Each structure stands twice: as C-alpha cells, then as structure tokens.
Amino acid sequence: MDPRKQRSRDRLYAAALRLAEDRPIASLTVTQLADAAGVHRSTFYEHAESPEALVEAALTAELDVLRDELMKDRSDAATAVATVTEGVLHHILRHVDIYRRELADGGGALHAMLSRHFRSTTETLLDRGRVEIAVPVAGATPASVSDAAARFLADGTVGIIDGWLRHPSPRVEDFLRVYLALLPDWWPHRPEA
C-alpha cells in the first residue's frame, strides 16, 4: 500500500474506533467518519463499504498483529497460545466500550468477527503443525473433527468474552481463571494463568 493511502487508512481506523467508543456502530455515518478522519467520502469508500465494515477492519487489523506474533513465537504451543490470548483480552479492554455494547446478546458483526479471528488462528496453528487435535470420532474424518473443534473453540471463547464484559470492571486474570478451567484437554493450555 502506498504511504498516502496507508495514512488515510490509519486516520480512518483511528476515527472509526474513536467514534465507535461513544455510540453504536450502526449509528455511524460515512460523512461522520470521513470528517473525523479529515478525508473525503470517496477516500472512505477506498477502504470500506460501510461504517460497520470500517470499524470491523480497524479491530481486525489489531487482532491480526497479535496472530502474526503468535505465529512467530517459537515457544511451546501452550505458552504461545496463552500469550496471544492475553494480548487479545488486552485489545478488548482497550476497546471495552465498543465490545461491551456490540457483543451484548449475540452481538452480530463483532461476534462474527471475533469468532472468525479465533477460528482462523486455530486453523493456522493446525495447518502449521503447531497444534494437533487428536480426538477420534467414529465416522468422522480428522479434518471434520478439526473444523468442528476450531468452531467450538471460537464461538465458545467469544461467548465467554461476552459474559466477562458484563462485569463492571473486567480483569484479564478473572477471564483466564474461568477460560482455562473450561478449555478441553485436547487444546494446548497452561493449567494456571
């Protein structure tokens, strides 16, 4: 991406996250976001098709950095997964007003976005041989079991995040205490936070 386009995208991302802290994403308009970023409406559409898509892209960009760090981490899988999970939780706390409001009771787009992030991370770990889901299921292929496991972990994790954010002052260590207790034995994790 050329530097000018990168600067416009960065300004749009920052404006989207700043405005989404104070109001529902569905209430944001292209004009508000373009004005807040100091760009033209046409520039907005070079980066996203809607305000919702822009907020999602801004949050996903931060999550992708964490996934990239996970893939570079050469420590054992349990340590690497724990480190990136903590990073995701800190990301969520940095944007707690957005996530708290938008995840409430199923949370549509952000629930789906987080679920895709966790599922994609699990699939990447499986594809690279960092983890293995060795759960034999009669009549099911290993690939279908891995797919089901990735979906189970992703949606379950987002559900726990939603519950965690309902507390007035969510703390990472409180999330991890519950999360680690609920993780299945076949998923790499450290037994204590």
Side-chain angles (χ1 to χ4, degrees), residues 27-44:
S27 73
L28 297 175
T29 67
V30 172
T31 300
Q32 288 172 329
L33 290 163
D35 288 349
V39 301
H40 293 285
R41 285 175 53 92
S42 61
T43 302
F44 174 93

Side-chain angles (χ1 to χ4, degrees), residues 3-179:
R4 197 172 111 200
K5 193 169 185 172
Q6 177 80 40
R7 283 191 302 274
S8 294
R9 188 193 74 179
D10 292 347
R11 287 196 315 262
L12 281 163
Y13 282 4
L17 295 176
R18 190 173 56 253
L19 292 176
E21 290 289 335
D22 299 326
R23 61 195 88 166
I25 294 171
S27 73
L28 297 175
T29 67
V30 172
T31 300
Q32 288 172 329
L33 290 163
D35 288 349
V39 301
H40 293 285
R41 285 175 53 92
S42 61
T43 302
F44 174 93
Y45 287 111
E46 292 174 15
H47 296 277
E49 61 187 36
S50 68
E52 293 88 351
L54 184 67
V55 173
E56 184 177 325
L59 293 169
T60 298
E62 291 184 17
L63 292 169
D64 287 347
V65 168
L66 294 168
R67 180 185 302 125
D68 292 346
E69 290 171 6
L70 170 64
M71 296 311 151
K72 291 175 189 170
D73 188 333
R74 295 285 59 112
S75 56
D76 65 280
T79 300
V81 168
T83 300
V84 81
T85 300
E86 289 178 35
V88 169
L89 297 173
H90 287 291
H91 155 85
I92 289 169
L93 289 178
R94 276 193 308 278
H95 304 293
V96 69
D97 293 331
I98 298 171
Y99 280 108
R100 184 176 276 149
R101 184 181 53 253
E102 301 294 333
L103 282 180
D105 298 320
L110 284 194
H111 186 285
M113 181 271 296
L114 271 179
S115 181
R116 278 192 310 274
H117 168 77
F118 286 120
R119 188 173 70 241
S120 176
T121 299
T122 301
E123 290 166 351
T124 302
L125 287 167
L126 288 164
D127 290 345
R128 293 187 180 185
R130 297 281 307 273
V131 298
E132 180 182 335
I133 298 175
V135 179
V137 177
T141 66
S144 66
V145 172
S146 291
D147 178 66
R151 292 172 187 278
F152 173 80
L153 286 169
D155 285 330
T157 300
V158 177
I160 296 169
I161 289 169
D162 180 19
W164 172 63
L165 290 178
R166 292 172 190 262
H167 295 281
S169 300
R171 298 178 329 145
V172 169
E173 56 272 18
D174 294 338
F175 175 92
L176 290 174
R177 190 172 25 263
V178 172
Y179 188 64

